[in-house]
Amino acid sequence: MAKITEIKEKKATTATATKTRTTTSLLSSGLIAITWGLLFFFLGSYLITESWTWGYRGKWTNINNYIPRKQLIFTDAELLQYDGSDPTKPIYLAIDGDVYDVSQGAGWYGKGGSYHHFAGKDAARAYVTGCFEDHLTHDVRGLSENELKGIDHWKKFYDKSHKYHKVGRVLHDPIPEDAPIPKPCKAAVGQKP
């Protein structure tokens, strides 16, 4: 009787060991298959589109979006220091209170660049009016609903950019109640079709 029990225990042990090996083998085979699949996916992407992400260039491909940072708080005077005139400092711009690092676009936003007038300040109004001389202000009073939607569009542009990332907020001094609404600009740059 002891021999029969011994044989049953050996069979049970052998069956358990075989089952464990099969489970381990399936798990490792699955991991190897997933690894090869990912390798071919990204390698194929690079060979076909010259990009590891099949040509996607949005917010999720910007490494700065994954680095946790403390959001900076600026005054208007502090933000002005980051206008691109000092090459040792980053270039920041603000739109509707949100501050973005646009240093990767230094050719456009740096000194002498075609969008340098946006650097170092919150010029939300100029984004939608096209007046780059008189409307470089955060004052959005008197703008139409479509123009306010335009500001939101530009904020989304910077939020979803693969080059630029949000670094903080600018705290503006309150606009006095008796301050006049900026006058419409006659020399505004027209919208592209």
Side-chain angles (χ1 to χ4, degrees), residues 114-163:
S114 54
Y115 298 123
H116 178 67
H117 47 268
F118 289 125
K121 60 183 73 79
D122 187 341
R125 186 178 199 90
Y127 276 91
V128 294
T129 63
C131 185
F132 303 129
E133 292 178 14
D134 302 329
H135 286 189
L136 292 174
T137 178
H138 66 280
D139 186 355
V140 294
R141 295 175 304 147
L143 294 179
S144 71
E145 188 175 326
N146 282 340
E147 289 172 323
L148 293 173
K149 285 180 184 178
I151 291 173
D152 285 337
H153 162 78
W154 281 108
K155 283 180 75 170
K156 287 176 187 173
F157 167 79
Y158 288 107
D159 279 333
K160 294 179 180 179
S161 173
H162 71 281
K163 286 183 172 184

Short mmCIF file of all heavy atoms in Angstrom, two decimals, residues 114-163:
data_model
loop_
_atom_site.label_atom_id
_atom_site.label_comp_id
_atom_site.label_asym_id
_atom_site.label_seq_id
_atom_site.Cartn_x
_atom_site.Cartn_y
_atom_site.Cartn_z
N SER A 114 10.40 86.13 -36.38
CA SER A 114 9.15 86.74 -36.83
C SER A 114 8.05 86.75 -35.77
O SER A 114 7.09 87.50 -35.87
CB SER A 114 8.65 86.04 -38.09
OG SER A 114 8.55 84.65 -37.88
N TYR A 115 8.17 85.91 -34.72
CA TYR A 115 7.19 85.91 -33.64
C TYR A 115 7.80 86.40 -32.32
O TYR A 115 7.25 86.14 -31.25
CB TYR A 115 6.62 84.50 -33.44
CG TYR A 115 5.88 83.98 -34.64
CD1 TYR A 115 6.26 82.79 -35.24
CD2 TYR A 115 4.81 84.68 -35.19
CE1 TYR A 115 5.59 82.31 -36.35
CE2 TYR A 115 4.14 84.22 -36.30
CZ TYR A 115 4.54 83.03 -36.87
OH TYR A 115 3.87 82.55 -37.97
N HIS A 116 8.90 87.11 -32.40
CA HIS A 116 9.57 87.60 -31.20
C HIS A 116 8.67 88.51 -30.36
O HIS A 116 8.80 88.58 -29.15
CB HIS A 116 10.86 88.34 -31.58
CG HIS A 116 11.58 88.91 -30.40
ND1 HIS A 116 12.18 88.13 -29.44
CD2 HIS A 116 11.77 90.20 -30.01
CE1 HIS A 116 12.71 88.90 -28.52
NE2 HIS A 116 12.49 90.16 -28.84
N HIS A 117 7.72 89.18 -31.01
CA HIS A 117 6.85 90.09 -30.28
C HIS A 117 5.97 89.35 -29.27
O HIS A 117 5.45 89.96 -28.35
CB HIS A 117 5.98 90.92 -31.25
CG HIS A 117 5.32 90.10 -32.31
ND1 HIS A 117 5.90 89.90 -33.53
CD2 HIS A 117 4.17 89.43 -32.32
CE1 HIS A 117 5.11 89.15 -34.26
NE2 HIS A 117 4.06 88.84 -33.55
N PHE A 118 5.80 88.02 -29.39
CA PHE A 118 5.03 87.24 -28.41
C PHE A 118 5.88 86.82 -27.22
O PHE A 118 5.35 86.48 -26.16
CB PHE A 118 4.46 85.98 -29.05
CG PHE A 118 3.36 86.23 -30.03
CD1 PHE A 118 3.43 85.74 -31.32
CD2 PHE A 118 2.22 86.93 -29.67
CE1 PHE A 118 2.42 85.95 -32.23
CE2 PHE A 118 1.20 87.15 -30.56
CZ PHE A 118 1.29 86.66 -31.85
N ALA A 119 7.19 86.78 -27.37
CA ALA A 119 8.08 86.26 -26.32
C ALA A 119 8.14 87.18 -25.11
O ALA A 119 8.19 88.40 -25.24
CB ALA A 119 9.48 86.05 -26.89
N GLY A 120 8.10 86.57 -23.94
CA GLY A 120 8.25 87.32 -22.70
C GLY A 120 7.01 88.06 -22.24
O GLY A 120 7.09 88.87 -21.33
N LYS A 121 5.88 87.78 -22.84
CA LYS A 121 4.65 88.48 -22.42
C LYS A 121 3.43 87.64 -22.74
O LYS A 121 3.50 86.66 -23.47
CB LYS A 121 4.54 89.84 -23.09
CG LYS A 121 4.50 89.82 -24.60
CD LYS A 121 4.45 91.20 -25.21
CE LYS A 121 5.72 91.96 -25.14
NZ LYS A 121 6.77 91.66 -26.06
N ASP A 122 2.32 88.03 -22.17
CA ASP A 122 1.03 87.42 -22.48
C ASP A 122 0.34 88.34 -23.48
O ASP A 122 -0.17 89.39 -23.13
CB ASP A 122 0.18 87.27 -21.21
CG ASP A 122 -1.10 86.47 -21.46
OD1 ASP A 122 -1.52 86.34 -22.62
OD2 ASP A 122 -1.67 85.97 -20.47
N ALA A 123 0.34 87.93 -24.73
CA ALA A 123 -0.23 88.74 -25.80
C ALA A 123 -1.45 88.05 -26.39
O ALA A 123 -1.62 87.97 -27.60
CB ALA A 123 0.82 88.99 -26.88
N ALA A 124 -2.32 87.55 -25.53
CA ALA A 124 -3.48 86.77 -25.97
C ALA A 124 -4.32 87.53 -27.00
O ALA A 124 -4.79 86.94 -27.98
CB ALA A 124 -4.33 86.38 -24.77
N ARG A 125 -4.49 88.81 -26.81
CA ARG A 125 -5.33 89.58 -27.73
C ARG A 125 -4.75 89.61 -29.14
O ARG A 125 -5.46 89.46 -30.12
CB ARG A 125 -5.51 91.01 -27.18
CG ARG A 125 -6.48 91.83 -27.98
CD ARG A 125 -6.67 93.23 -27.39
NE ARG A 125 -7.89 93.82 -27.86
CZ ARG A 125 -9.08 93.71 -27.30
NH1 ARG A 125 -9.20 93.03 -26.17
NH2 ARG A 125 -10.14 94.27 -27.82
N ALA A 126 -3.44 89.76 -29.25
CA ALA A 126 -2.80 89.85 -30.57
C ALA A 126 -2.91 88.54 -31.36
O ALA A 126 -2.91 88.56 -32.58
CB ALA A 126 -1.34 90.24 -30.42
N TYR A 127 -3.02 87.41 -30.66
CA TYR A 127 -3.15 86.13 -31.36
C TYR A 127 -4.39 86.09 -32.24
O TYR A 127 -4.39 85.46 -33.29
CB TYR A 127 -3.24 84.97 -30.36
CG TYR A 127 -1.90 84.47 -29.89
CD1 TYR A 127 -1.30 85.00 -28.76
CD2 TYR A 127 -1.23 83.47 -30.58
CE1 TYR A 127 -0.08 84.55 -28.33
CE2 TYR A 127 0.00 83.02 -30.15
CZ TYR A 127 0.57 83.55 -29.02
OH TYR A 127 1.80 83.11 -28.61
N VAL A 128 -5.45 86.76 -31.82
CA VAL A 128 -6.70 86.69 -32.59
C VAL A 128 -7.03 87.96 -33.35
O VAL A 128 -7.81 87.92 -34.29
CB VAL A 128 -7.88 86.30 -31.67
CG1 VAL A 128 -7.70 84.89 -31.16
CG2 VAL A 128 -8.07 87.27 -30.53
N THR A 129 -6.43 89.08 -32.97
CA THR A 129 -6.73 90.31 -33.71
C THR A 129 -5.75 90.55 -34.84
O THR A 129 -6.06 91.26 -35.79
CB THR A 129 -6.72 91.55 -32.78
OG1 THR A 129 -5.40 91.70 -32.24
CG2 THR A 129 -7.75 91.42 -31.68
N GLY A 130 -4.56 89.97 -34.73
CA GLY A 130 -3.55 90.16 -35.77
C GLY A 130 -2.85 91.50 -35.68
O GLY A 130 -2.09 91.87 -36.57
N CYS A 131 -3.09 92.25 -34.63
CA CYS A 131 -2.44 93.54 -34.44
C CYS A 131 -1.26 93.35 -33.50
O CYS A 131 -1.43 93.22 -32.30
CB CYS A 131 -3.43 94.54 -33.85
SG CYS A 131 -2.74 96.20 -33.72
N PHE A 132 -0.07 93.31 -34.08
CA PHE A 132 1.12 92.96 -33.31
C PHE A 132 1.86 94.17 -32.76
O PHE A 132 2.98 94.05 -32.29
CB PHE A 132 2.06 92.11 -34.17
CG PHE A 132 1.39 90.86 -34.68
CD1 PHE A 132 1.43 90.54 -36.02
CD2 PHE A 132 0.71 90.02 -33.82
CE1 PHE A 132 0.82 89.39 -36.49
CE2 PHE A 132 0.10 88.87 -34.27
CZ PHE A 132 0.14 88.56 -35.61
N GLU A 133 1.25 95.33 -32.84
CA GLU A 133 1.86 96.52 -32.25
C GLU A 133 1.06 97.01 -31.05
O GLU A 133 1.61 97.23 -29.98
CB GLU A 133 1.97 97.63 -33.30
CG GLU A 133 2.98 97.30 -34.39
CD GLU A 133 3.06 98.38 -35.45
OE1 GLU A 133 2.54 99.50 -35.22
OE2 GLU A 133 3.63 98.10 -36.50
N ASP A 134 -0.26 97.18 -31.23
CA ASP A 134 -1.09 97.77 -30.18
C ASP A 134 -1.78 96.74 -29.29
O ASP A 134 -2.24 97.08 -28.21
CB ASP A 134 -2.18 98.65 -30.81
CG ASP A 134 -1.58 99.76 -31.66
OD1 ASP A 134 -0.47 100.21 -31.33
OD2 ASP A 134 -2.22 100.16 -32.65
N HIS A 135 -1.88 95.50 -29.73
CA HIS A 135 -2.66 94.51 -28.99
C HIS A 135 -1.81 93.44 -28.31
O HIS A 135 -2.28 92.34 -28.06
CB HIS A 135 -3.68 93.85 -29.91
CG HIS A 135 -4.83 94.73 -30.24
ND1 HIS A 135 -5.94 94.28 -30.91
CD2 HIS A 135 -5.07 96.05 -30.00
CE1 HIS A 135 -6.80 95.25 -31.08
NE2 HIS A 135 -6.28 96.36 -30.54
N LEU A 136 -0.58 93.75 -27.98
CA LEU A 136 0.27 92.80 -27.27
C LEU A 136 -0.06 92.87 -25.78
O LEU A 136 0.74 93.29 -24.96
CB LEU A 136 1.74 93.10 -27.53
CG LEU A 136 2.21 92.86 -28.96
CD1 LEU A 136 3.64 93.34 -29.14
CD2 LEU A 136 2.09 91.40 -29.32
N THR A 137 -1.27 92.43 -25.44
CA THR A 137 -1.77 92.51 -24.07
C THR A 137 -2.62 91.28 -23.75
O THR A 137 -3.12 90.61 -24.66
CB THR A 137 -2.62 93.79 -23.88
OG1 THR A 137 -3.14 93.80 -22.55
CG2 THR A 137 -3.76 93.87 -24.85
N HIS A 138 -2.78 91.03 -22.47
CA HIS A 138 -3.63 89.93 -22.03
C HIS A 138 -5.09 90.36 -21.91
O HIS A 138 -5.96 89.55 -21.63
CB HIS A 138 -3.14 89.39 -20.68
CG HIS A 138 -3.28 90.38 -19.57
ND1 HIS A 138 -2.37 91.39 -19.37
CD2 HIS A 138 -4.23 90.52 -18.60
CE1 HIS A 138 -2.74 92.11 -18.32
NE2 HIS A 138 -3.87 91.60 -17.84
N ASP A 139 -5.37 91.62 -22.14
CA ASP A 139 -6.72 92.18 -22.01
C ASP A 139 -7.60 91.65 -23.14
O ASP A 139 -7.42 92.01 -24.31
CB ASP A 139 -6.65 93.71 -22.06
CG ASP A 139 -7.99 94.37 -21.79
OD1 ASP A 139 -9.00 93.65 -21.65
OD2 ASP A 139 -8.01 95.61 -21.70
N VAL A 140 -8.55 90.77 -22.80
CA VAL A 140 -9.43 90.18 -23.82
C VAL A 140 -10.84 90.77 -23.76
O VAL A 140 -11.75 90.25 -24.40
CB VAL A 140 -9.47 88.63 -23.69
CG1 VAL A 140 -8.13 88.03 -23.99
CG2 VAL A 140 -9.97 88.20 -22.32
N ARG A 141 -10.99 91.87 -23.04
CA ARG A 141 -12.31 92.51 -22.98
C ARG A 141 -12.69 93.01 -24.37
O ARG A 141 -11.86 93.51 -25.11
CB ARG A 141 -12.29 93.68 -22.00
CG ARG A 141 -12.05 93.28 -20.56
CD ARG A 141 -11.92 94.48 -19.65
NE ARG A 141 -10.86 95.36 -20.13
CZ ARG A 141 -10.88 96.68 -20.01
NH1 ARG A 141 -11.87 97.29 -19.41
NH2 ARG A 141 -9.88 97.41 -20.47
N GLY A 142 -13.94 92.87 -24.70
CA GLY A 142 -14.44 93.37 -25.97
C GLY A 142 -14.23 92.44 -27.15
O GLY A 142 -14.63 92.77 -28.27
N LEU A 143 -13.62 91.28 -26.93
CA LEU A 143 -13.44 90.33 -28.05
C LEU A 143 -14.73 89.55 -28.27
O LEU A 143 -15.49 89.29 -27.34
CB LEU A 143 -12.30 89.36 -27.76
CG LEU A 143 -10.90 89.96 -27.69
CD1 LEU A 143 -9.88 88.86 -27.38
CD2 LEU A 143 -10.54 90.65 -28.98
N SER A 144 -14.96 89.17 -29.51
CA SER A 144 -16.16 88.40 -29.84
C SER A 144 -15.99 86.95 -29.37
O SER A 144 -14.90 86.51 -29.01
CB SER A 144 -16.39 88.43 -31.35
OG SER A 144 -15.40 87.65 -32.01
N GLU A 145 -17.09 86.23 -29.42
CA GLU A 145 -17.05 84.82 -29.02
C GLU A 145 -16.10 84.03 -29.93
O GLU A 145 -15.37 83.15 -29.46
CB GLU A 145 -18.46 84.23 -29.07
CG GLU A 145 -18.55 82.84 -28.49
CD GLU A 145 -19.97 82.32 -28.44
OE1 GLU A 145 -20.91 83.11 -28.21
OE2 GLU A 145 -20.14 81.10 -28.64
N ASN A 146 -16.12 84.33 -31.21
CA ASN A 146 -15.21 83.63 -32.14
C ASN A 146 -13.75 83.95 -31.83
O ASN A 146 -12.88 83.08 -31.96
CB ASN A 146 -15.53 83.99 -33.59
CG ASN A 146 -16.74 83.25 -34.11
OD1 ASN A 146 -17.12 82.23 -33.55
ND2 ASN A 146 -17.34 83.78 -35.16
N GLU A 147 -13.48 85.18 -31.46
CA GLU A 147 -12.10 85.54 -31.11
C GLU A 147 -11.66 84.84 -29.82
O GLU A 147 -10.51 84.39 -29.73
CB GLU A 147 -11.97 87.06 -30.97
CG GLU A 147 -12.07 87.77 -32.31
CD GLU A 147 -12.14 89.28 -32.17
OE1 GLU A 147 -12.79 89.78 -31.22
OE2 GLU A 147 -11.56 89.98 -33.03
N LEU A 148 -12.56 84.69 -28.88
CA LEU A 148 -12.23 83.96 -27.65
C LEU A 148 -11.98 82.48 -27.96
O LEU A 148 -11.10 81.86 -27.37
CB LEU A 148 -13.33 84.13 -26.60
CG LEU A 148 -13.49 85.55 -26.04
CD1 LEU A 148 -14.71 85.64 -25.14
CD2 LEU A 148 -12.23 85.98 -25.30
N LYS A 149 -12.74 81.94 -28.90
CA LYS A 149 -12.50 80.55 -29.34
C LYS A 149 -11.13 80.45 -30.01
O LYS A 149 -10.45 79.44 -29.91
CB LYS A 149 -13.59 80.08 -30.30
CG LYS A 149 -14.89 79.76 -29.63
CD LYS A 149 -15.93 79.30 -30.64
CE LYS A 149 -17.28 79.07 -29.98
NZ LYS A 149 -18.30 78.68 -30.97
N GLY A 150 -10.75 81.52 -30.71
CA GLY A 150 -9.44 81.55 -31.34
C GLY A 150 -8.31 81.49 -30.32
O GLY A 150 -7.29 80.83 -30.53
N ILE A 151 -8.48 82.16 -29.19
CA ILE A 151 -7.49 82.10 -28.12
C ILE A 151 -7.40 80.67 -27.59
O ILE A 151 -6.30 80.15 -27.37
CB ILE A 151 -7.82 83.10 -27.00
CG1 ILE A 151 -7.62 84.54 -27.50
CG2 ILE A 151 -6.95 82.85 -25.76
CD1 ILE A 151 -8.06 85.61 -26.54
N ASP A 152 -8.56 80.03 -27.41
CA ASP A 152 -8.56 78.63 -26.95
C ASP A 152 -7.85 77.73 -27.96
O ASP A 152 -7.14 76.80 -27.58
CB ASP A 152 -9.98 78.13 -26.72
CG ASP A 152 -10.59 78.68 -25.44
OD1 ASP A 152 -9.82 79.08 -24.55
OD2 ASP A 152 -11.83 78.72 -25.35
N HIS A 153 -8.03 78.02 -29.24
CA HIS A 153 -7.34 77.25 -30.28
C HIS A 153 -5.83 77.37 -30.12
O HIS A 153 -5.11 76.37 -30.20
CB HIS A 153 -7.76 77.75 -31.67
CG HIS A 153 -6.82 77.33 -32.75
ND1 HIS A 153 -6.82 76.06 -33.27
CD2 HIS A 153 -5.83 77.99 -33.39
CE1 HIS A 153 -5.87 75.96 -34.19
NE2 HIS A 153 -5.27 77.13 -34.28
N TRP A 154 -5.34 78.57 -29.89
CA TRP A 154 -3.90 78.76 -29.73
C TRP A 154 -3.38 78.10 -28.47
O TRP A 154 -2.27 77.54 -28.45
CB TRP A 154 -3.54 80.25 -29.76
CG TRP A 154 -3.52 80.77 -31.16
CD1 TRP A 154 -4.43 81.61 -31.75
CD2 TRP A 154 -2.55 80.46 -32.16
NE1 TRP A 154 -4.09 81.83 -33.05
CE2 TRP A 154 -2.92 81.14 -33.33
CE3 TRP A 154 -1.41 79.67 -32.19
CZ2 TRP A 154 -2.20 81.05 -34.50
CZ3 TRP A 154 -0.69 79.59 -33.37
CH2 TRP A 154 -1.09 80.27 -34.50
N LYS A 155 -4.16 78.13 -27.39
CA LYS A 155 -3.75 77.43 -26.17
C LYS A 155 -3.63 75.93 -26.43
O LYS A 155 -2.69 75.29 -25.98
CB LYS A 155 -4.75 77.69 -25.04
CG LYS A 155 -4.59 79.06 -24.42
CD LYS A 155 -5.58 79.30 -23.31
CE LYS A 155 -5.19 78.54 -22.08
NZ LYS A 155 -5.96 78.91 -20.89
N LYS A 156 -4.58 75.38 -27.16
CA LYS A 156 -4.52 73.94 -27.49
C LYS A 156 -3.31 73.64 -28.37
O LYS A 156 -2.69 72.59 -28.26
CB LYS A 156 -5.81 73.50 -28.19
CG LYS A 156 -6.98 73.42 -27.25
CD LYS A 156 -8.26 73.07 -27.98
CE LYS A 156 -9.45 73.16 -27.04
NZ LYS A 156 -10.72 73.00 -27.75
N PHE A 157 -2.99 74.58 -29.27
CA PHE A 157 -1.81 74.39 -30.13
C PHE A 157 -0.56 74.21 -29.27
O PHE A 157 0.22 73.29 -29.49
CB PHE A 157 -1.64 75.59 -31.07
CG PHE A 157 -0.30 75.62 -31.75
CD1 PHE A 157 -0.05 74.82 -32.85
CD2 PHE A 157 0.73 76.45 -31.30
CE1 PHE A 157 1.19 74.84 -33.49
CE2 PHE A 157 1.97 76.47 -31.92
CZ PHE A 157 2.19 75.66 -33.02
N TYR A 158 -0.37 75.07 -28.30
CA TYR A 158 0.82 74.97 -27.44
C TYR A 158 0.74 73.77 -26.51
O TYR A 158 1.75 73.13 -26.22
CB TYR A 158 1.04 76.27 -26.66
CG TYR A 158 1.52 77.39 -27.55
CD1 TYR A 158 0.68 78.44 -27.90
CD2 TYR A 158 2.82 77.40 -28.05
CE1 TYR A 158 1.12 79.47 -28.73
CE2 TYR A 158 3.26 78.41 -28.88
CZ TYR A 158 2.41 79.44 -29.22
OH TYR A 158 2.84 80.44 -30.04
N ASP A 159 -0.47 73.45 -26.02
CA ASP A 159 -0.63 72.28 -25.14
C ASP A 159 -0.30 70.97 -25.85
O ASP A 159 0.27 70.07 -25.26
CB ASP A 159 -2.06 72.20 -24.61
CG ASP A 159 -2.31 73.11 -23.43
OD1 ASP A 159 -1.35 73.42 -22.70
OD2 ASP A 159 -3.47 73.51 -23.23
N LYS A 160 -0.67 70.88 -27.12
CA LYS A 160 -0.49 69.63 -27.86
C LYS A 160 0.80 69.57 -28.66
O LYS A 160 1.06 68.61 -29.36
CB LYS A 160 -1.68 69.43 -28.81
CG LYS A 160 -2.98 69.21 -28.09
CD LYS A 160 -4.12 69.04 -29.06
CE LYS A 160 -5.42 68.82 -28.32
NZ LYS A 160 -6.54 68.68 -29.25
N SER A 161 1.60 70.58 -28.57
CA SER A 161 2.82 70.67 -29.37
C SER A 161 3.85 69.62 -28.95
O SER A 161 3.97 69.28 -27.78
CB SER A 161 3.44 72.06 -29.22
OG SER A 161 4.69 72.11 -29.86
N HIS A 162 4.58 69.10 -29.93
CA HIS A 162 5.67 68.17 -29.63
C HIS A 162 6.97 68.91 -29.31
O HIS A 162 7.93 68.31 -28.86
CB HIS A 162 5.88 67.19 -30.78
CG HIS A 162 6.48 67.81 -32.00
ND1 HIS A 162 5.75 68.55 -32.89
CD2 HIS A 162 7.74 67.82 -32.45
CE1 HIS A 162 6.54 68.99 -33.84
NE2 HIS A 162 7.75 68.56 -33.61
N LYS A 163 6.97 70.23 -29.53
CA LYS A 163 8.17 71.03 -29.25
C LYS A 163 8.07 71.83 -27.97
O LYS A 163 9.04 72.00 -27.25
CB LYS A 163 8.41 72.03 -30.38
CG LYS A 163 8.94 71.45 -31.64
CD LYS A 163 9.19 72.60 -32.60
CE LYS A 163 9.90 72.15 -33.83
NZ LYS A 163 10.23 73.28 -34.70
#
